[in-house]
Amino acid sequence: MTPAVSGRGVTVKYGQSVALGSSDFVIPTGSITTLIGPNGSGKSTLLNVIAGLVDPTTGSVVIEDEGRTRLSYVLQSTKVNEALPVTVAEVVAMGRYSRTGLLGRMNRDDRAAIEAAMKRMGIDNLASRHLSELSGGQRQRVFVAQGLAQQHDLLLLDEPLTGLDLPSAQAIDDVIHDEQSHGCTVIITTHDLAEAQAADWVILLAGSVIAYGPPDEVLTQEHLSAAYGSLHVEGGQVFLDDPAHRTSVSRHHHGERQIHTEMDRSDLHD
Ligand code: ADP
Ligand code: MG
C-alpha cells in the first residue's frame, strides 16, 4: 500500500478548544476513503488539514509527492450561500481559476473542461441558472462539477451525499468511482455507515481518529460503540445513537453498489 496522505500526532486547536485530538492515519493512493463519525467529531477539520486550509497545531500531515499533487476540494454545499449572485456556469468556471488566475482568460481547454464537468454532472442544461433557482441536490452537483473542472490527483468532498435526492446522489457516486478509475484518490466525509462500508478505506472519528483501515476492520461493533456511544437495534436495523442523524434510510440499489443503504445486524463485524 502506498500512502497518498499520512498523518502523525495531528491535533487542531482553536484557542483552548480541541477540534481534533491527537490522530494518526494513512490514506492509500487510489482509494476511495471515507471519513465517518458523529456530528462535531472532526471530519471537516481533518479534511481542512489534508487540504492545507488549516495548519495542525501539533503533528504533521504528509501528502505524497506534494509538489506534483493537484488537489480539489468540494465544500459541503449547505455551507455555501445559495444567494450568491452567480450562475451555474460561473461557479463551475471558478474551478479553473487556479490555472487561469482570477482575471485570466479562459482558453479552449478551460472551456472544454467546464463543459465536460457540467455534462458529467448532468447540469449542462442549467448553465445559465442562478444558484438560488436550484434544488439542494442540483446545487451539490454544481459544486462537484466545479471540483471536476480542476485537474486533480486528490479529490476531497465534504459530505457530498448528505441529504441528497437519489438522482443527485447517484450522479455524484458515479463520478467518485470514475475519478478513482482514472487513478485519483478520493476522500469523502459522511455520517452514513453504509457509505463507509462501501468505501475501500475508512477513518473513524470521534474527536480524534479512533481507527483506520479497511471497512470490515474499522466498522466493528467495538469501534462504533466507542465513537457513537451505544448502538441499538429496531426492526432488524442498526441505529447509531447520533441524535442529529437518527433517521434510517432506505435501500437503493445502483449498479453493483448500494448507496445510502440501511444496515442490518449481519453487516456489523465484531
Ligand atoms: P464534523 O465535520 O465532524 O461535524 P468539525 O470538524 O466541523 O466536525 O468540528 C469538530 C469540532 O471542532 C466541533 O466541536 C466544532 O465545533 C469545532 N470547530 C470546528 N471548526 C471550528 C472553528 N473554526 N473554531 C472553533 N471551533 C471549531
Ligand atoms: Mg463537517
Side-chain angles (χ1 to χ4, degrees):
M1 190 264 280
T2 322
V5 187
S6 45
R8 281 190 75 88
V10 178
T11 63
V12 176
K13 284 188 195 164
Y14 294 101
Q16 293 298 348
S17 96
V18 179
L20 185 70
S22 184
S23 295
D24 297 333
F25 65 91
V26 171
I27 294 172
T29 300
S31 66
I32 294 176
T33 290
T34 299
L35 312 187
I36 187 171
N39 245 351
S41 59
K43 303 181 293 294
S44 298
T45 301
L46 184 53
L47 209 59
N48 288 339
V49 168
I50 294 169
L53 296 173
V54 167
D55 283 332
T57 310
T58 66
S60 61
V61 172
V62 175
I63 309 277
E64 221 45 46
D65 206 5
E66 186 158 17
R68 243 175 295 167
T69 299
R70 297 158 307 176
L71 184 147
S72 305
Y73 188 5
V74 178
L75 294 171
Q76 196 175 349
S77 66
T78 54
K79 300 275 163 74
V80 179
N81 189 344
E82 66 185 62
L84 281 178
V86 286
T87 65
V88 167
E90 285 164 348
V91 172
V92 178
M94 288 173 196
R96 302 298 290 184
Y97 282 177
S98 62
R99 207 200 57 74
T100 63
L102 208 52
L103 301 171
R105 286 178 60 82
M106 298 276 167
N107 63 26
R108 188 180 307 186
D109 286 347
D110 296 319
R111 281 190 295 270
I114 292 161
E115 193 67 26
M118 291 198 295
K119 281 221 170 75
R120 285 177 71 188
M121 292 317 303
I123 53 166
D124 43 322
N125 56 330
L126 303 174
S128 57
R129 298 268 196 95
H130 280 80
L131 287 188
S132 58
E133 301 174 272
L134 306 182
S135 71
Q138 289 171 329
R139 208 175 306 130
Q140 182 71 69
R141 279 190 272 164
V142 172
F143 288 104
V144 173
Q146 186 191 75
L148 293 177
Q150 312 174 37
Q151 279 137 357
H152 48 235
D153 316 288
L154 258 185
L155 176 60
L156 277 47
L157 304 110
D158 200 2
E159 303 216 15
L161 301 177
T162 298
L164 291 195
D165 57 284
L166 191 58
S168 295
Q170 281 183 345
I172 292 170
D173 189 58
D174 279 347
V175 153
I176 286 170
H177 285 82
D178 283 350
E179 291 302 288
Q180 177 185 37
S181 69
H182 294 127
C184 183
T185 305
V186 185
I187 308 174
I188 65 181
T189 64
T190 184
H191 50 251
D192 186 315
L193 208 41
E195 243 177 86
Q197 281 178 318
D200 305 312
W201 195 262
V202 177
I203 298 179
L204 177 65
L205 289 122
S208 63
V209 171
I210 292 197
Y212 62 89
D216 59 346
E217 289 174 21
V218 170
L219 302 173
T220 62
Q221 188 136 13
E222 184 195 344
H223 289 152
L224 289 170
S225 303
Y228 287 89
S230 57
L231 305 170
H232 67 275
V233 180
E234 260 173 48
Q237 287 184 286
V238 174
F239 290 82
L240 302 175
D241 269 343
D242 175 9
H245 304 112
R246 218 125 145 219
T247 51
S248 113
V249 275
S250 56
R251 193 179 286 277
H252 303 296
H253 288 275
H254 176 55
E256 298 275 282
R257 302 186 296 275
Q258 287 179 9
I259 53 179
H260 288 277
T261 66
E262 73 217 12
M263 286 187 60
D264 57 47
R265 206 152 201 180
S266 58
D267 292 334
L268 276 183
H269 310 267
D270 46 15

